[in-house]
Amino acid sequence: MGETRLPRHMFLWCLSAIYMFAFASLYVQIPGLYGNEGVLPARWQLRVSGKSVVEQLKDSPTLLWFGPRLGLDTQQCMELLSLTGALLSLMTLALPVLRDCRVFLVLWILYLSLYQVGQVFLYFQWDNLLLETGFLAILIAPMKMPWSTKERLHDNVTFWLARWLLFRLMFASGVVKLTSRCPTWWGLTALTYHYETQCIPTPLAWFAHQLPAWFQKLSVVGTFVIEIAVPFMFFSPIRRHRLAAFYVQVLIQVFIILSGNYNFFNILTITLCMSLLDDQHVNFWLRRYMPKTESTSLQTLCSWLAVVLEIGTYAVLGYWSVRYFDLQVDWENKSVSSRTAFTYFEFNGFLKTVTVPSIWIGVLSLTWEVISAMFKCACVRGVLWRLWNTIQWAVMAAATVSMFAISLVPYTYIEYDAHSNLWPGIRTAFEVTDRYQLVSSYGLFRRMTGVGGRPEVVIEGSMDRNTWTEIEFMYKPGNVSAAPPVVAPHQPRLDWQMWFAALGPHTQSPWFSSLLHRLLQGKRDVIRLIQTDESQYPFSKQPPAYLRAHRYKYWFTKPKEDGSYPQRWWRRVYVEEFYPMVHLGDSYLEQMLDQHGLKDKAPPRRSSNAWLPQLLRHVGKHAREMPTPLLLWTLFSSAATVCLLNSLRSLARHHQHESLQNKHADKQETGWNVEEEDVKKHEEEDVKDNAEEDGKEQEEDATSEEEQEGEIEEEVNTEETDVDSLRKRKQF
C-alpha cells in the first residue's frame, strides 16, 4: 500500500469531530439520565467501600472515583468529564497541533470513565466501536515532540488496525443477519419493514418505504454483497480494489444516514473507511496531480495483469450474486426478481470455510506492512536515526500484533469451531483487557423487528383519572401528524431505550418504572429529556397525579390514489396496556422499584457552593437551553470554520512563499542576463578591436609590400637603364 499520511490526518480529524459529538450529546443528558434525581443515578454504581483508590480502579476503571477529592458528587463529576472531553475534542478538531497520541489517550480515558457507569443507556455497539477506534487512534496519532520527524515509518502498520476493525465490523454485520435465521433477511424482505420500524427514522425514510418491493429485495441483495463479499477486497494488493471497496462502503453509509438517525455511528464507519485510501487518491481529490514517472516494461505488464484480475474479481462477484440470489430481469414489468438460492446449512459451511482463511489473510496483510516498515527503517541514513526508527517500529509492531491477536476472540464468535481452536493465551489476554473495551464483537441489525407493525409505548398522564393526555417525546414517533425528525449526530438515549422497551414487557426494562416515578415527582431534569422546551410538556406547571402506558403499533401512511401526499405521516392501532395506572405511593410502583433496586437507600450529598460546582451549574443551565442537534452543529461549524481559516492562511503563506521564491529566481535570472549582456558587449568590443587591429596590420602589411615592390621596380629600372647605357657605349 502507498503512503497514507493524508488519510491518517483525515482519520484523526474526523475522530475528533465524533468525540465532540459523543461528549456534547451525552453532556446535556447527564442530569436526566444519571443525576441524583435522574432515571438511573450513576452514584449507585460507585458504592463507597473501604477499598483503596487503586483497588477501586481495578474493579471499575473510571475517573469518577476522584470526584469526592474535588468536592464533586457523581453527577457533577460526570458533567466535568464530558464537558472536558467536548472542549478538548473541539480544540483538537480546530487545531492540528493537538492531534497528538497523548490527547487521544485523554479522550479515550474520559469516555471509558463515563461508559463504566453508563448502564443501559450507554451499552450500544457504537459506544464500544468508539472506544475501540479511540484506542487505535492512540497508536495511529503521532507524538509531536521537538525532535520528532514529520513522517513515522511505522505509520502504515498501526493504521492497518483501522482497516482490520472495519473488516470485522462489516463482515460480522453481514454474517449475523443470516446466522440469526431471521425470516425477513432470508426472504430478502427486511427493507420493506426497516424504514418504518427503525428507532428514529428521517423524513426520507417515508419516501424510501414507498419504493417497489422488487427494489427493496434487490437492495437487500446489495447489502449482503457489500457486507460479506466486498470486505475481503480491503486487503487486496490491487489499489483499485481498495478504492472501489471504499466508495461502496461510503455509499451504503450515506444511504443509512439519509434514511435513519443513527447518531455518530455511520460517520464513525466512514472514518474507518479512510484506512482504504492513500495519498495519491487524496491528492487526486485536492487536484494535486503527482508527476508521472516512466514505467518499465515489467511495470506495464504488472499493471495489465492487475486490470485483468480486477475485472475478473468484479465478474466473479456478479456471477455469485446472480447465482446465489437467483437474479432474473423481467423486461415486461421492468423489474428484477430475486430470492435466496442457498440454505442455512450451506451458508454455515461457507462460514466455516472462510473464517479461518480470513484470519490468515489478515496475518499476511499485516506481515507485509510490518516487513515493509522494517525495510524503510533499515534504509534511514545515520546510525542514531536508524536505531531510533527501529525502536519505534519494534514497539508499534508489537502493539499492533497484540491488538490483532486479542481481536480474534470477539471476531470468531461468528463461527464456533474457529473460536474453540484459538490459542488459550489469546483468550487469557482478552479476558484481562476486556474491562477496558479494547476490542468488541459487532453485528448490526441481527433481526428485523416490527414485522407486524412498529411497536411504540405511549405514556399518558391525568390529574383526575378521567381525562388523559399523551406525553409526546421530541424525537420518537408519537403524534401521527408530526414529521420524523433529523437529529443525527445527536443520540437521544431515552428515546432509543423507549424503542427497545416497546419490543417486550416492561419488566424487561426496569428503568421504565424509575422514569414514571420521576415524572410523577415532576423532576425537571427528566422532563427535559422528553421536551427541551418545557412549555411543550403538558404537565409543566404541575406534575400528573396518575400515569399509565399503552402499546400501539405504527405504520407509515401511503400516498393517495391520485399520487398526492397524505396529511399524516403515520397511522396507528391500539394493542394493549404496557404499564398499569400508578401514582406516587402506589404499591405496584413501589414493588417494581424495590425489586430492581431503584429506590434511594441514602440521601444524595448536598451540592457544594465551591467555584467548580457553581461553574458547572452555570454552564449546564445555558447549554441545555438550546436544542441539542443545533448545539452540536454549531460547535462543529465553529471548529470547521477555524480549520478553514487556518487552511486558507497556510495556503496564502504558501503562495506568498512561492511568489517570493519566484521573484528571487527572476532576480537571479535577470542578474545573469545582465551579466551575459555585458559579457557579450565586451566580447563584441573585443572582436571589433581585434578586427580593427587586424585591419591596420593588414594595411601596414599592404603598404610595406607596395613599398617593397616599388623599390624592386626602381632597382629593375635602374638596372635596365644601366644595361641600355652600356649597349650605347659599345656601339660607339
Side-chain angles (χ1 to χ4, degrees):
M1 191 169 182
E3 296 299 326
T4 57
R5 184 181 63 86
L6 295 177
R8 284 196 311 274
H9 289 331
M10 295 166 59
F11 172 84
L12 297 176
W13 188 86
C14 292
L15 187 60
S16 302
I18 294 168
Y19 262 130
M20 186 271 294
F21 290 144
F23 279 116
S25 174
L26 183 60
Y27 169 73
V28 298
Q29 302 178 76
I30 285 176
L33 294 178
Y34 306 111
N36 296 326
E37 296 179 343
V39 179
L40 293 177
R43 62 189 178 89
W44 295 348
Q45 303 296 312
L46 302 174
R47 299 295 184 183
V48 179
S49 61
K51 297 181 179 180
S52 63
V53 177
V54 176
E55 293 176 343
Q56 290 174 336
L57 289 174
K58 288 182 179 179
D59 295 338
S60 179
T62 174
L63 296 178
L64 296 176
W65 293 114
F66 298 96
R69 301 190 178 190
L70 299 175
L72 303 175
D73 58 20
T74 305
Q75 173 189 341
Q76 293 170 341
C77 193
M78 288 187 71
E79 291 178 341
L80 177 62
L81 295 182
S82 59
L83 187 60
T84 303
L87 294 178
L88 183 59
S89 56
L90 184 66
M91 295 171 60
T92 307
L93 178 64
L95 304 175
V97 70
L98 291 179
R99 291 170 207 152
D100 185 274
C101 63
R102 291 159 294 187
V103 175
F104 283 101
L105 174 62
V106 173
L107 292 173
W108 179 77
I109 292 175
L110 291 174
Y111 203 77
L112 178 65
S113 299
L114 298 171
Y115 177 86
Q116 295 296 326
V117 297
Q119 305 170 75
V120 69
F121 293 110
L122 265 173
Y123 291 169
F124 292 98
Q125 291 194 46
W126 33 84
D127 294 309
N128 299 92
L129 183 63
L130 178 56
L131 284 172
E132 183 171 353
T133 308
F135 187 80
L136 297 185
I138 301 172
L139 303 177
I140 296 171
M143 181 179 290
K144 298 186 177 179
M145 293 182 176
W147 62 83
S148 61
T149 57
K150 292 183 179 180
E151 182 177 1
R152 303 181 306 169
L153 301 179
H154 60 267
D155 281 337
N156 284 6
V157 178
T158 54
F159 200 38
W160 179 90
L161 287 172
R163 206 185 332 163
W164 172 248
L165 174 56
L166 178 65
F167 172 80
R168 287 166 41 216
L169 172 67
M170 301 309 300
F171 185 69
S173 297
V175 166
V176 298
K177 292 178 174 61
L178 294 174
T179 56
S180 65
R181 296 192 178 188
C182 177
T184 61
W185 287 115
W186 279 93
L188 307 181
T189 58
L191 290 183
T192 59
Y193 307 102
H194 165 73
Y195 297 112
E196 69 177 3
T197 61
Q198 60 184 322
C199 181
I200 304 177
T202 65
L204 288 179
W206 186 91
F207 295 94
H209 182 71
Q210 314 303 327
L211 294 172
W214 69 266
F215 186 82
Q216 306 279 24
K217 297 178 69 175
L218 188 62
S219 300
V220 175
V221 174
T223 301
F224 284 136
V225 173
I226 292 173
E227 292 184 347
I228 297 178
V230 172
F232 286 93
M233 296 168 60
F234 297 169
F235 307 107
S236 173
I238 301 175
R239 176 173 171 268
R240 285 188 294 268
H241 273 165
R242 299 191 299 271
L243 295 179
F246 167 81
Y247 283 108
V248 169
Q249 298 296 331
V250 171
L251 181 65
I252 190 173
Q253 297 303 321
V254 170
F255 285 157
I256 296 174
I257 291 173
L258 294 176
S259 62
N261 290 285
Y262 290 95
N263 49 79
F264 57 80
F265 166 66
N266 305 110
I267 307 175
L268 182 54
T269 306
I270 294 176
T271 301
L272 290 173
C273 291
M274 301 297 177
S275 60
L276 303 175
L277 300 175
D278 53 20
D279 286 354
Q280 182 181 351
H281 198 69
V282 177
N283 283 323
F284 170 74
W285 288 349
L286 300 175
R287 294 296 185 267
R288 298 175 184 172
Y289 297 104
M290 306 298 291
K292 294 183 178 180
T293 58
E294 295 183 0
S295 58
T296 62
S297 57
L298 179 61
Q299 291 176 339
T300 304
L301 178 62
C302 291
S303 63
W304 279 107
L305 289 176
V307 171
V308 173
L309 290 175
E310 183 182 3
I311 297 175
T313 301
Y314 301 145
V316 170
L317 286 177
Y319 171 75
W320 283 350
S321 300
V322 172
R323 177 181 177 182
Y324 290 108
F325 293 100
D326 195 19
L327 300 180
Q328 295 181 0
V329 180
D330 187 351
W331 298 104
E332 294 182 359
N333 297 324
K334 297 180 180 180
S335 63
V336 178
S337 63
S338 57
R339 67 178 184 87
T340 306
F342 55 91
T343 64
Y344 174 79
F345 298 102
E346 289 175 342
F347 181 74
N348 268 347
F350 161 79
L351 197 57
K352 290 181 179 181
T353 303
V354 301
T355 302
V356 174
S358 67
I359 296 175
W360 284 108
I361 289 174
V363 170
L364 292 175
S365 179
L366 178 58
T367 302
W368 172 261
E369 297 293 349
V370 171
I371 294 176
S372 299
M374 181 185 67
F375 276 104
K376 290 180 181 178
C377 293
C379 296
V380 174
R381 293 182 179 179
V383 177
L384 295 179
W385 281 113
R386 188 182 303 120
L387 178 62
W388 173 244
N389 281 278
T390 304
I391 293 173
Q392 285 184 322
W393 164 82
V395 172
M396 290 302 178
T400 302
V401 172
S402 300
M403 287 293 297
F404 172 74
I406 63 175
S407 70
L408 296 179
V409 176
Y411 170 65
T412 53
Y413 287 157
I414 60 177
E415 208 281 305
Y416 176 79
D417 291 338
H419 182 72
S420 59
N421 291 330
L422 286 177
W423 182 46
I426 296 178
R427 298 173 184 271
T428 304
F430 173 76
E431 293 173 358
V432 172
T433 59
D434 187 35
R435 69 181 65 184
Y436 303 108
Q437 304 299 319
L438 300 185
V439 293
S440 301
S441 61
Y442 304 100
L444 299 169
F445 305 107
R446 185 185 302 268
R447 299 187 65 88
M448 192 57 57
T449 59
V451 175
R454 172 198 182 94
E456 279 293 340
V457 173
V458 177
I459 302 175
E460 298 177 348
S462 175
M463 304 299 296
D464 55 5
R465 300 202 308 184
N466 293 322
T467 303
W468 294 89
T469 304
E470 292 187 7
I471 297 177
E472 185 176 351
F473 285 65
M474 283 185 293
Y475 307 116
K476 84 177 192 67
N479 185 356
V480 294
S481 299
V486 177
V487 301
H490 170 54
Q491 181 183 1
R493 296 182 180 268
L494 179 61
D495 294 63
W496 268 85
Q497 285 301 327
M498 288 289 292
W499 180 77
F500 283 106
L503 301 177
H506 72 83
T507 53
Q508 295 181 359
S509 304
W511 58 267
F512 191 82
S513 298
S514 180
L515 172 64
L516 296 184
H517 185 231
R518 297 304 188 191
L519 293 179
L520 289 170
Q521 292 176 333
K523 301 301 180 182
R524 293 191 174 276
D525 290 334
V526 179
I527 293 174
R528 289 194 187 99
L529 295 176
I530 298 175
Q531 288 290 343
T532 303
D533 185 3
E534 294 187 23
S535 62
Q536 300 296 322
Y537 184 69
F539 302 98
S540 58
K541 296 181 179 180
Q542 183 180 359
Y546 303 93
L547 285 176
R548 67 183 184 185
H550 290 154
R551 195 197 317 265
Y552 288 82
K553 283 194 174 181
Y554 280 66
W555 295 270
F556 271 140
T557 55
K558 296 181 179 180
K560 297 180 180 179
E561 295 181 356
D562 57 358
S564 60
Y565 298 136
Q567 295 180 351
R568 296 180 177 181
W569 292 81
W570 301 94
R571 61 184 181 90
R572 72 178 187 180
V573 173
Y574 175 80
V575 178
E576 61 184 350
E577 180 184 71
F578 180 77
Y579 204 97
M581 181 184 64
V582 293
H583 56 84
L584 285 177
D586 186 87
S587 59
Y588 183 79
L589 180 60
E590 295 293 325
Q591 177 186 352
M592 296 303 299
L593 295 176
D594 289 334
Q595 179 180 347
H596 299 291
L598 299 176
K599 294 188 70 174
D600 289 326
K601 297 180 180 180
R605 293 181 53 186
R606 293 182 180 180
S607 59
S608 174
N609 292 325
W611 67 271
L612 185 55
Q614 288 184 357
L615 178 63
L616 291 173
R617 285 193 292 268
H618 179 73
V619 173
K621 178 181 178 181
H622 292 283
R624 296 181 181 97
E625 291 177 353
M626 183 185 299
T628 308
L630 179 60
L631 174 64
L632 298 185
W633 285 115
T634 301
L635 294 175
F636 176 78
S637 301
S638 303
T641 302
V642 174
C643 287
L644 180 61
L645 293 177
N646 288 334
S647 300
L648 294 176
R649 185 179 303 173
S650 62
L651 185 62
R653 289 178 180 175
H654 179 69
H655 287 319
Q656 185 178 4
H657 182 67
E658 284 186 348
S659 62
L660 290 175
Q661 287 183 341
N662 293 332
K663 288 181 180 179
H664 184 65
D666 292 339
K667 287 181 180 180
Q668 289 182 344
E669 289 180 0
T670 53
W672 282 107
N673 292 334
V674 171
E675 291 179 357
E676 289 177 357
E677 290 178 358
D678 293 338
V679 170
K680 287 180 180 179
K681 288 181 179 179
H682 288 302
E683 289 179 352
E684 290 176 356
E685 291 177 356
D686 293 338
V687 170
K688 289 181 179 179
D689 294 339
N690 294 331
E692 290 177 356
E693 291 178 356
D694 293 339
K696 290 179 180 180
E697 292 177 354
Q698 290 176 359
E699 289 178 357
E700 291 177 354
D701 294 338
T703 53
S704 61
E705 289 177 357
E706 290 176 355
E707 290 176 355
Q708 290 177 357
E709 289 177 357
E711 291 177 354
I712 293 171
E713 288 178 355
E714 290 178 356
E715 292 178 355
V716 171
N717 293 331
T718 54
E719 289 178 355
E720 289 178 355
T721 54
D722 291 338
V723 171
D724 293 337
S725 61
L726 287 174
R727 286 177 180 176
K728 288 179 179 179
R729 286 178 182 178
K730 288 179 179 181
Q731 291 176 356
F732 292 106

